[in-house]
Amino acid sequence: MNIAVFASHGGSDLQAIIDGCKNNQINARVSVVISNNGNSMALQRAEAEGIPAYHLSANKSGNEEALATEILDILAKYNVEMIFLAGYMRMLHISVLEKYNNRIFNIHPALLPKFGGKGMHGMNVHTAVIKAKESETGVTIHRVNAEYDSGEIVAQTTVPVLKNDTPEILAARVLDREYEFLVEVIGDIVNGEITLG
């Protein structure tokens, strides 16, 4: 299966997916990487692995519609069957959502529906979890629709919140689990245990 990964920053989740494909935990390949940030480590990681990588943004394209057309053209060029958003900080245009309905997945560093929605990313999530005095948090993988973090949840895993956790300590513990979980769940999607639309 050909997977497109969209990422905005460091691309560590992207690397976990690439490694999972290389060591046969995922029976697929990352065929293209798209980032809205020309300086993202994700683009550098893709290039280091010999994976086609594109910096695409509404600013570069002119507007959201033109961006969506460029994205769809690239996805078609690489015969993409599934899209994974790995820290992609943009809402996808409705035309992309419709074309790849039920085939776009996102990873979120909390147990949705708690701690989701606009602005809930990165350290903001872990800070909110600690402030709410939660005893556990985790990682959610969900289908993507036109509303932030509200698509159908396909898999979740829990991570304990410990008494002396800071947002940074909790973030590191969640991230450790996130890398493994990502590979497990994408493996399940590729194998058909989690269905594509």
Side-chain angles (χ1 to χ4, degrees):
M1 184 183 288
N2 291 324
I3 301 172
V5 179
F6 288 46
S8 293
H9 298 298
S12 59
D13 278 343
L14 163 64
Q15 192 66 54
I17 298 168
I18 292 168
D19 293 345
C21 293
K22 286 202 306 201
N23 63 28
N24 299 319
Q25 289 173 282
I26 302 171
N27 184 21
R29 67 191 182 111
V30 178
S31 56
V32 63
V33 171
I34 293 173
S35 181
N36 60 318
N37 173 5
N39 300 315
S40 73
M41 265 296 289
L43 292 176
Q44 294 169 42
R45 288 178 192 271
E47 282 158 14
E49 298 281 352
I51 297 167
Y54 293 85
H55 169 219
L56 300 177
S57 69
N59 286 347
K60 274 182 76 179
S61 303
N63 58 47
E64 293 292 341
E65 284 73 21
L67 170 61
T69 300
E70 277 189 66
I71 288 173
L72 287 169
D73 287 349
I74 287 168
L75 296 175
K77 178 180 176 182
Y78 293 99
N79 298 312
V80 168
E81 297 158 89
M82 181 182 114
I83 299 169
F84 202 92
L85 307 184
Y88 187 64
M89 299 299 164
R90 298 275 307 151
M91 181 66 83
L92 289 174
H93 190 270
I94 190 68
S95 61
V96 179
L97 295 176
E98 286 175 352
K99 173 79 176 168
Y100 287 88
N101 185 35
N102 288 332
R103 292 173 165 264
I104 309 174
F105 298 87
N106 181 50
I107 191 159
H108 186 77
L111 295 173
L112 293 175
K114 289 182 174 179
F115 309 108
K118 198 161 172 55
M120 274 293 164
H121 53 78
M123 218 48 80
N124 295 354
V125 175
H126 306 298
T127 301
V129 166
I130 289 171
K131 201 171 168 188
K133 298 186 166 40
E134 297 286 324
S135 62
E136 63 177 16
T137 184
V139 181
T140 301
I141 293 177
H142 65 93
R143 296 186 203 270
V144 174
N145 61 17
E147 249 182 274
Y148 283 111
D149 301 328
S150 68
E152 178 205 353
I153 292 168
V154 297
Q156 286 186 313
T157 186
T158 59
V159 174
V161 180
L162 305 180
K163 202 175 77 172
N164 296 323
D165 276 349
T166 63
E168 292 74 17
I169 290 170
L170 182 58
R173 188 179 310 118
V174 169
L175 202 55
D176 278 348
R177 180 64 186 120
E178 190 171 308
Y179 297 145
E180 303 165 347
F181 189 59
L182 187 57
V183 171
E184 291 164 17
V185 175
I186 293 178
D188 287 346
I189 295 167
V190 171
N191 296 337
E193 289 169 50
I194 295 170
T195 58
L196 291 171

